[in-house]
Amino acid sequence: MSSGLIGKKIGMTSVFDDAGNNIACTVIEAGPNLVTQVKTESGPDGYDAVQLAFDSKPEKNTTKAMQGHFASAGTEPKRKVTEFDRTDEALKRGDELHPDDVFEEGEVINVVGISKGKGFQGVVKRHGFAGVGMRTHGQSDQQRHSGSVGASADPSRVFKGTRMGGRTGNDRTMIKNLEIVQILPDHNAVLVKGSVPGAKNSYVELHKK
């Protein structure tokens, strides 16, 4: 079997547990995932892995090389291709994996996604700075500034890694220890307790602990 699945973030909902508590959940469509390649340590790749593909894609938007790759697996082109660790020797090319094949309700997993991009942001939003101060002594435009960033004569430069304004978000992010509240086999959906990175309809990776 695979150590994880590719999914698509659909949105959020809430469910009630047996005690009547309302639990906020992220809905992830996580199947079917198709096995497009199986790599083995004894083969030319030199390591054990399984390559999964998810979500159909028009053939006209797929390169010739990838068209041949998907055709050899007996499937139409897919939008997302990702490798996971292989945990089952019997897994072969062309197999389909569904959420209930890999995960169980109550299991704790890690979810990886690309966080929402927020463009260029200043230090107050990006790093949580308090700003230089209030509008006192004629200081009318410094409330959200970073303040001093370096010394003068020595070392006469700004150190690498100094927290400044810059591009925020749009980074590969892992949220650990999220509980699978419910699996909906009819919809290939997984309900994960809490929020996961990314916007709606963005792709995520669900990894077993």
Side-chain angles (χ1 to χ4, degrees), residues 3-24:
S3 65
L5 289 176
I6 310 169
K8 180 190 285 188
K9 181 177 176 180
I10 302 300
M12 294 199 70
T13 186
S14 61
V15 296
F16 291 94
D17 62 10
D18 296 335
N21 299 313
N22 193 4
I23 303 173

Side-chain angles (χ1 to χ4, degrees), residues 1 3 5 10 16 20-21 39 50 63-64 69 93 96 109 120 127 137 158 162 164 171 187 190 192-193:
M1 199 57 61
S3 65
L5 289 176
I10 302 300
F16 291 94
N21 299 313
K39 300 183 177 183
V50 57
T63 62
K64 291 288 186 181
H69 181 67
R93 178 182 262 187
E96 275 192 359
I109 63 173
F120 187 99
H127 298 296
H137 304 288
V158 177
T162 300
M164 297 184 181
D171 291 318
H187 302 281
V190 178
V192 177
K193 182 178 180 180

Side-chain angles (χ1 to χ4, degrees), residues 85-106:
D85 291 335
R86 183 166 58 97
T87 60
D88 187 355
E89 298 292 334
L91 208 59
K92 61 184 184 300
R93 178 182 262 187
D95 287 350
E96 275 192 359
L97 296 179
H98 300 268
D100 51 345
D101 296 329
V102 180
F103 301 112
E104 298 177 355
E105 292 183 358

Side-chain angles (χ1 to χ4, degrees), residues 34-39 45 49-52 69 73 83 93-94:
L34 195 97
V35 178
T36 51
Q37 190 174 356
V38 176
K39 300 183 177 183
D45 300 294
V50 57
Q51 184 189 86
L52 301 182
H69 181 67
E83 278 189 10
R93 178 182 262 187

Side-chain angles (χ1 to χ4, degrees), residues 118-132 142-147 149 162-169:
K118 301 183 183 298
F120 187 99
Q121 301 296 333
V123 293
V124 173
K125 182 167 185 177
R126 192 183 191 201
H127 298 296
F129 283 14
V132 172
Q142 300 289 311
Q143 294 93 319
R144 298 175 68 89
H145 281 223
S146 60
V149 295
T162 300
R163 291 180 297 172
M164 297 184 181
R167 183 185 62 80
T168 308

